Structures are given as C-alpha cells and as structure tokens.
Amino acid sequence: MNISEMLGEYERDYALAMLGVEDFPYQKLSGKTIVVDGESEYMKLTVCMSLLALNDKEKLSIKVLMLGNGNELSEKLAERNDFSLCSYEQAAAAEYNFFISTGICGLELNGTSAEYCRITNNFARAISTAKSCLERCILLSDYRVYGELERGLVISENEAGFVPFSNNGDMSQTTAVSIETYFSAYAKQFNLPTIILRSGILLGAKAELPQNFTDELFSAVAEGKQISLPNTRKKYSFTYLNEVIHALLYAFYEFKENSVFNVISRNATVSVGMLASMIYDIYPEFAKIELAACEDDPYYGTAMN
C-alpha cells in the first residue's frame, strides 16, 4: 500500500518531507539498505515512512530495516516488500549502507538512573551492528546535549565540548551527551563516517513528541482561555518535525561527513514574550496571554544558531 494512503493529514505531511527537493540526487539512494533504530517508536516510524515514501515516488527500491519489535503500524508496513522488522543479531549479520538512530530525539525522559542505563544499553547494542555499515552512520540528537545556558548565549555546534558530566545539568543532558559520545567513539574505532543532527524543541501537529510549555499555550489560545507565562529574557530554539526529516535527506550525501549540524526552523529562536507576540498578531481575539515577571528564566530549552 502507498504510504500516503495509510496516514492521516499530519502524519502524511511528515512522511513526505523528503520529497520534492529540487536538484537533490535521489538516484544515489537507489537500491540502498538502511537500518533505523531509536528509543522513540514514533520517531523511528516517521523516519521509516519517509524513506518508504521515497520508494513510492522516486522508485528507488530502498530496503528499510527497523530494529525492535514494532507495533501495529510497523506490522502493517511489513506487508510491503521494502520494509521489515529486524533484530540486533540480524542487523549485525547484514551488510547495509546507512545506519540511522533517532537516539532520544522526540522522547520524553523521566530522568532516572534506571532509564539512563536502559537507553544507553539499548543504544550500545544498536550501534554495535554498524560495523557492517558501508557508507554513513547518522544520529538524531537535540538541544538537551547543550544543557542550560546563561541568558544571552546562543550556542553553535562546535561549542558542546565544554559540557561536562559533572555540571548541574539534569539527567536528560547526561543521557544526550552519553549517546553522542558513544556514537562518536564507536565510529572512530571502526572508521565509520558520521553525521549528528541536533534539533531544537520539536514541534509537530498531532505528533507524539515530548510536551513543552507551548502545548499549554496553544491549547489555551485554541480555547480562548487566559494563560500566564514567565516573561523570559532567554530565547529557545524550535524545530518543526518536517525540517528534521528534511535535514536527514541531506545527511545521506550532501553534508560533510564527521560533522555536527544544528537543525533549527527559520526565525524560530525566540523568547516566551516574542512567541506570545507572534501568536497575538495571528489570533488577537483568542490570545489572552499574561506575561509575568521572573528573576530566573525557566529551562525550557536552548538558544541554538
């Protein structure tokens, strides 16, 4: 079944994000085998469906192998001849072109040591299959690797090295740093070309993503209810889910290997006040937003260039 026929309006929008890129050499992906892993089932499936949509549109005969047990949707995808669920052992024994891990991108964490151990152990098992990878290993990461920044700072990709394990960051930062470190160390050991894509706070209509302050804000505006938010001086970077999938397409061949890239939507590094102003300009009759003074800005995310 064609991917676009299986999905709702919003899911279809994300799945088709790789299509229609002018002058992209789609045929380079013809006949490639791609292994997809990650902690968020939703993110894994979104990546897989975007690859299958390429097959539907461009007739590329990409073979997609998804690590894990899957769910009802992945079982339905398995009825296609270009998708299959795959165990760690099967992936390790296979020869494939690209390894993609969504890591903890799109995953809400509870911040416990048990969760940390589970996630890092799962990632270690998954990346250990990449010795068979012929071309590139790609990791989706996010803003949590940077931790909380001081007011006025905007961080670039190459400034993450200052983030120590012993600082005051929460467990989500420790988990993000650990996954990136393991990914890079393993790749260096086996001489595997890598790309790391770091998103801001992920947004996507009806997408299964971690909750953030915008969920309460958008709900209040939709219902015309009063809402009070801190008038932060800090800015936070946002990334629409489509743009992560779009960047992933370029990570196959266009981006320089062994590099890290921030993936931020256009004009989407804003303070709470700036965001409230944008919403008021669009929905003046529904936006009843009160901005409260605050001495210490809450940690919602990170300002990324």
Side-chain angles (χ1 to χ4, degrees):
M1 181 181 292
N2 191 290
I3 286 296
S4 62
E5 297 173 358
M6 295 175 59
L7 306 174
E9 176 185 357
Y10 298 107
E11 290 84 1
R12 187 185 307 118
D13 191 34
Y14 308 139
L16 302 182
M18 288 190 183
L19 297 175
V21 179
E22 189 175 351
D23 297 328
F24 186 83
Y26 287 108
Q27 289 305 314
K28 280 189 175 182
L29 290 169
S30 182
K32 303 296 184 181
T33 298
I34 302 174
V35 170
V36 180
D37 177 62
E39 283 296 314
S40 165
E41 202 74 18
Y42 182 85
M43 288 296 291
K44 274 198 301 187
L45 280 167
T46 299
V47 170
C48 288
M49 288 188 292
S50 67
L51 295 170
L52 297 177
L54 283 181
N55 280 346
D56 292 341
K57 176 68 175 179
E58 302 291 338
K59 312 302 180 186
L60 298 178
S61 299
I62 297 170
K63 180 66 175 177
V64 180
L65 307 177
M66 191 179 89
L67 288 175
N69 297 322
N71 57 19
E72 185 177 343
L73 177 57
S74 57
E75 290 175 3
K76 191 171 183 180
L77 291 176
E79 296 174 6
R80 297 172 55 117
N81 60 14
D82 54 359
F83 174 88
S84 60
L85 294 169
C86 181
S87 69
Y88 294 113
E89 293 74 20
Q90 289 171 324
E95 190 174 77
Y96 56 85
N97 301 92
F98 295 97
F99 173 86
I100 300 173
S101 175
T102 64
I104 60 170
C105 189
L107 182 73
E108 190 155 1
L109 301 177
N110 61 34
T112 64
S113 58
E115 177 187 63
Y116 171 85
C117 292
R118 176 184 60 79
I119 289 174
T120 52
N121 286 337
N122 286 348
F123 184 76
R125 288 187 68 192
I127 192 64
S128 68
T129 72
K131 284 185 287 187
S132 306
C133 185
L134 299 175
E135 297 190 50
R136 284 187 173 184
C137 296
I138 303 167
L139 173 66
L140 301 187
S141 187
D142 64 24
Y143 66 93
R144 289 175 285 191
V145 75
Y146 295 122
E148 185 171 1
L149 301 181
E150 296 177 10
R151 282 176 171 170
L153 291 182
V154 179
I155 198 162
S156 67
E157 297 90 338
N158 296 321
E159 293 180 282
F162 77 88
V163 181
F165 284 93
S166 58
N167 72 356
N168 294 323
D170 61 16
M171 189 65 78
S172 64
Q173 182 192 9
T174 302
T175 306
V177 171
S178 295
I179 288 177
E180 286 199 16
T181 302
Y182 199 105
F183 178 75
S184 299
Y186 191 90
K188 286 180 180 179
Q189 180 182 355
F190 294 99
N191 197 31
L192 301 170
T194 63
I195 297 287
I196 297 177
L197 304 175
R198 294 180 183 143
S199 77
I201 301 169
L202 280 178
L203 298 177
K206 295 191 176 180
E208 296 174 19
L209 299 171
Q211 290 204 330
N212 60 74
F213 77 94
T214 64
D215 294 288
E216 185 181 0
L217 171 59
F218 295 155
S219 293
V221 172
E223 297 172 14
K225 293 182 177 179
Q226 183 83 24
I227 184 172
S228 178
L229 294 171
N231 189 18
T232 67
R233 283 184 283 172
K234 281 185 179 179
K235 293 182 179 180
Y236 312 101
S237 294
F238 294 86
T239 310
Y240 198 60
L241 182 55
N242 272 31
E243 306 213 15
V244 176
I245 302 302
H246 192 82
L248 182 57
L249 179 65
Y250 285 92
F252 288 122
Y253 291 112
E254 301 298 292
F255 290 159
K256 182 182 177 182
E257 64 184 36
N258 303 321
S259 299
V260 181
F261 297 90
N262 287 343
V263 182
I264 306 302
S265 295
R266 188 184 299 273
N267 299 323
T269 297
V270 296
S271 66
V272 173
M274 293 167 66
L275 181 59
S277 178
M278 292 178 193
I279 293 174
Y280 183 82
D281 286 344
I282 301 171
Y283 304 108
E285 68 275 28
F286 296 106
K288 302 174 183 178
I289 306 167
E290 177 188 359
L291 295 175
C294 60
E295 289 188 13
D296 297 317
D297 293 337
Y299 172 52
Y300 291 139
T302 304
M304 301 157 65
N305 70 359

